[in-house]
Amino acid sequence: MTTLAFSSAGSKVSLSAGVPATVDSAGFGALTYTEIKELTDIGMIGPESAVITHNPVGDNTTYKLKGSRNSGSLDLKGARAPTDAGQTLLIAAEASTAPYAVKIVLQSGTILYAQVLVMSYKTSIGTVSQITSFESKCEVSGPVVTA
């Protein structure tokens, strides 16, 4: 039996200080990106709908509807290397209120694009036997575009 599964090894995340003129693969693809090096965990990205509940007193039943869609956030983790151009851009994005474009290339060749607000860049020092690392939360604003 064969599988359609593939490894995350070789996946890359890149950031652009620009935002696309159009929110589609052509618009995102026209931007220049800088790879964020030393990543060890990229996290998850993708839409999730909120649940809207309605509880009419008359029939004692909960009804559920799909509400707004949220494309989530990327929880990036890696070895701290602030001299890396990608991490330098990530640090600048955290200090800014502007959205940045992100490009995620999976090992399979699939590309995911989104606009993100970089909410944090935290340093984790840990113990004597650990790598000094960083964690960065990137909130996705708008849809995730697959190319």
Side-chain angles (χ1 to χ4, degrees):
M1 181 173 146
T2 61
T3 180
L4 299 176
F6 56 92
S7 169
S8 295
S11 296
K12 296 179 181 187
V13 177
S14 301
L15 202 59
S16 175
V19 291
T22 56
V23 182
D24 55 21
S25 57
F28 279 105
L31 298 174
T32 300
Y33 294 87
T34 303
E35 183 182 348
I36 302 168
K37 302 282 186 169
E38 303 299 335
L39 289 175
T40 58
D41 190 345
I42 298 170
M44 296 191 296
I45 187 173
E48 180 176 352
S49 296
V51 176
I52 300 171
T53 59
H54 174 59
N55 298 312
V57 176
D59 67 5
N60 194 27
T61 300
T62 298
Y63 296 92
K64 297 179 182 177
L65 302 165
K66 285 177 78 170
S68 62
R69 290 171 55 93
N70 184 334
S71 292
S73 61
L74 285 171
D75 293 319
L76 302 176
K77 297 177 183 175
R80 187 178 192 280
T83 57
D84 166 62
Q87 286 192 37
T88 299
L89 189 56
L90 193 62
I91 292 166
E94 186 283 322
S96 172
T97 58
Y100 281 55
V102 69
K103 175 183 178 181
I104 303 166
V105 180
L106 304 178
Q107 185 202 61
S108 66
T110 300
I111 299 174
L112 304 173
Y113 292 110
Q115 291 185 59
V116 298
L117 297 168
V118 179
M119 306 305 287
S120 65
Y121 182 93
K122 297 179 180 181
T123 299
S124 176
I125 299 160
T127 68
V128 70
S129 296
Q130 287 181 272
I131 299 293
T132 301
S133 60
F134 80 93
E135 293 185 17
S136 183
K137 180 174 277 295
C138 302
E139 291 287 346
V140 179
S141 181
V144 176
V145 174
T146 302

